[in-house]
């Protein structure tokens, strides 16, 4: 059996500042992406230093978020933090990579080998990759580079090919970041797209919906459980069974057509 590869979205919120040296693009995961990263950094900094109203519009920010432009202005020289510490929010609080690093070094080593976080600016990063604070979602369209998701689809398809050549891919990304990379046909049947559905009883009838908090918290806990338990499975069906063993309620759907991924729905009624 080959260890699973876990794909995560980034967090919108990020820890500020840092105590590491300026970002070294060649030291990040998949160093062949350095040229694309450098170009995006330069354009993002130019946008942030330009007319504020334009920068806010490009980055999808409100006037109350204008302070976030400061991080993008200093990308090349700003202090860094490991991605494990940079990303915050509901999913990353539940995953708690810093806690794993402190209390379960073996699980953190597995995270370094098995977890890739997608990013509108970096493409993908691993937990120990040192990155500055930034603001650039996967839905941003830059004046020169265009839609960053499209740019990354072109760059990530060949770059990720070796990583997904074998083994199971557990896709926990949100739709925005799922658009940055799609499993090739050769890996589709080994890819499980995990959705989290919140089930409520309304007038005696079960109703399901995607609720941000339940979705993010459950995905964080799920990823943590896979790492702590050193769960290694070969197929989406085996993954669903492993998640059931972890106490999760799952429903599995086979690909609707050749070359597409499996879907595993994790059904929750609450998150404590």
């Amino acid at each position: 059996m080959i260890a699973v590869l876990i794909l995560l979205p980034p967090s919108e919120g990020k820890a500020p500042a840092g105590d590491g040296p300026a970002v070294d693009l060649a030291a990040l995961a998949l160093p062949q992406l350095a040229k694309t990263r450098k170009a995006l950094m330069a354009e993002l900094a130019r946008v942030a230093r330009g007319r504020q109203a334009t920068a806010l519009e490009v980055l999808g920010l409100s006037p109350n978020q204008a302070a976030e432009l400061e991080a993008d202005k200093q990308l090349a020289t700003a202090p860094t933090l490991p991605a494990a510490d940079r990303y915050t929010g509901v999913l990353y609080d539940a995953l708690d990579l810093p806690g794993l690093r402190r209390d379960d070094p073996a699980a953190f080593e597995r995270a370094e080998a098995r977890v890739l976080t997608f990013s509108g600016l970096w493409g993908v990063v691993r937990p120990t990759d040192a990155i500055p604070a930034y603001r650039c979602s996967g839905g941003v369209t830059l004046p020169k580079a265009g839609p960053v998701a499209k740019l990354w689809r072109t760059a990530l398809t060949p770059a990720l090919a070796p990583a997904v050549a074998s083994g199971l891919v557990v896709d926990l990304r949100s739709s925005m970041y799922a658009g940055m990379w799609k499993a090739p046909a050769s890996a589709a049947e080994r890819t499980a797209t995990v959705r989290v559905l919140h089930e409520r009883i309304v007038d005696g009838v079960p109703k399901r919906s995607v609720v941000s908090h339940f979705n993010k918290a459950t995905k964080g806990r799920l990823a943590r459980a896979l790492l702590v338990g050193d769960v290694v499975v070969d197929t989406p069906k085996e993954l669903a069974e492993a998640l059931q063993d972890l106490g999760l309620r799952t429903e599995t759907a086979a690909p609707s057509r050749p070359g597409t991924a499996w879907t595993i729905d994790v059904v929750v009624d609450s998150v404590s």
Side-chain angles (χ1 to χ4, degrees):
M1 289 188 176
I2 299 173
V4 299
L5 182 68
I6 302 171
L7 309 183
L8 298 178
S11 60
E12 185 173 299
K14 299 173 186 69
D19 55 12
V23 63
D24 178 356
L25 298 180
L28 302 182
L30 304 181
Q32 63 266 45
L33 301 176
K35 184 177 180 180
T36 303
R37 289 164 174 153
K38 184 176 181 180
L40 286 177
M41 282 177 60
E43 183 171 2
L44 193 57
R46 284 196 299 270
V47 168
R49 292 169 184 161
R51 185 169 174 266
Q52 184 179 97
T54 301
L56 293 175
E57 182 179 2
V58 168
L59 297 178
L61 303 176
S62 70
N64 292 336
Q65 296 173 298
E68 297 200 31
L69 296 176
E70 294 303 314
D72 287 346
K73 293 177 182 179
Q74 310 297 330
L75 285 170
T77 58
T80 57
L81 284 174
D85 301 291
R86 181 67 71 192
Y87 293 117
T88 59
V90 176
L91 188 155
Y92 285 88
D93 284 348
L95 174 54
D96 190 17
L97 288 172
L100 289 183
R101 182 175 54 206
R102 182 188 62 245
D103 302 327
D104 193 342
F108 187 78
E109 286 185 14
R110 288 192 283 272
E112 177 66 9
R114 301 178 190 179
V115 172
L116 287 176
T117 294
F118 279 65
S119 161
L121 179 55
W122 314 114
V124 295
V125 292
R126 294 194 183 276
T128 61
D129 284 350
I131 54 175
Y134 69 96
R135 186 61 184 253
C136 181
S137 78
V140 162
T141 296
L142 292 172
K144 292 185 178 180
V148 299
K150 182 178 180 181
L151 185 69
W152 283 122
R153 274 198 303 275
T154 301
L156 286 171
T157 297
L160 282 174
V164 299
S166 60
L168 183 69
V169 179
V170 182
D171 192 350
L172 302 178
R173 295 174 298 166
S174 58
S175 58
M176 179 184 294
Y177 293 93
M180 289 175 51
W181 176 83
K182 179 183 177 182
S186 59
E189 290 196 358
R190 291 182 285 102
T191 299
T193 299
V194 178
R195 304 188 305 178
V196 178
L197 302 179
H198 178 213
E199 184 174 270
R200 297 174 299 137
I201 304 300
V202 179
D203 296 328
V205 179
K207 300 289 185 180
R208 293 179 178 179
S209 61
V210 177
V211 178
S212 180
H213 175 83
F214 292 87
N215 176 56
K216 293 175 181 178
T218 302
K219 285 182 176 179
R221 291 182 177 188
L222 187 158
R224 183 182 178 88
L226 293 177
L227 295 169
V228 171
D230 192 14
V231 175
V232 179
V233 292
D234 289 326
T235 68
K237 284 186 176 180
E238 290 176 358
L239 174 64
E241 292 169 358
L243 295 180
Q244 291 169 7
D245 291 341
L246 293 171
L248 295 172
R249 176 183 168 196
T250 66
E251 297 175 0
T252 305
S256 57
R257 60 184 185 279
T260 58
W262 286 69
T263 299
I264 297 177
D265 287 338
V266 177
V267 183
V268 299
D269 53 21
S270 66
V271 176
S272 57

